[in-house]
Amino acid sequence: QVQLVESRGGLVQAGGSLRLSCAASGRTFSSYGMGWFRQAPGKEREFVSAISGSGDSTYYADSVKGRFAISRDNAKKTVYLQMNNLKPEDTAVYYCAAKSGGVVTGRGPLYDYWGQGTQVTVSS
């Protein structure tokens, strides 16, 4: 019912910034909580950030607090992840995800739809 397409990945120097975007095709985008997850080489998928359907609540992993900011534009059916002061350890494939109804969560299995993933590489 919902398709998610990510863009704006890339190669960034440490300390630089990058904005990821994820566009959704669903008719009721505002009813979905949205999350960002990432998976680095040799590591399991981890939670990065999440935002409620209305955008009134946001959540961040401790590792990105103060550096990343999640936002959404429901009119454009798009969620964003602004990444500042990037570090080499931020290098990973980043996935956006949508959760239908309920409270947003950092638990990946509770999300219903996933984007294709976009590569973010931070060089030192």
Side-chain angles (χ1 to χ4, degrees):
Q1 187 173 353
V2 175
Q3 289 184 266
L4 305 174
V5 179
E6 302 166 29
S7 62
R8 306 291 293 182
L11 174 63
V12 187
Q13 190 76 21
S17 298
L18 185 67
R19 188 179 75 164
L20 304 181
S21 64
C22 174
S25 63
R27 294 179 61 250
T28 56
F29 179 72
S30 62
S31 68
Y32 288 84
M34 299 294 297
W36 287 96
F37 296 78
R38 68 187 182 186
Q39 187 165 24
K43 300 181 65 177
E44 62 184 285
R45 182 183 61 192
E46 67 175 349
F47 168 74
V48 176
S49 185
I51 187 169
S52 61
S54 64
D56 62 335
S57 299
T58 59
Y59 309 87
Y60 298 93
D62 289 341
S63 59
V64 305
K65 278 185 177 179
R67 300 189 298 119
F68 291 10
I70 190 171
S71 62
R72 66 191 296 159
D73 186 335
N74 287 343
K76 296 181 178 180
K77 297 182 179 180
T78 302
V79 64
Y80 305 92
L81 185 67
Q82 179 66 46
M83 311 165 71
N84 299 320
N85 191 24
L86 283 161
K87 304 175 180 180
E89 51 262 44
D90 295 318
T91 295
V93 176
Y94 283 71
Y95 299 88
C96 66
K99 179 180 181 296
S100 59
V103 179
V104 294
T105 176
R107 294 173 60 88
L110 298 183
Y111 284 78
D112 302 293
Y113 306 97
W114 293 82
Q116 80 279 11
T118 186
Q119 178 69 47
V120 173
T121 302
V122 184
S123 63
S124 58

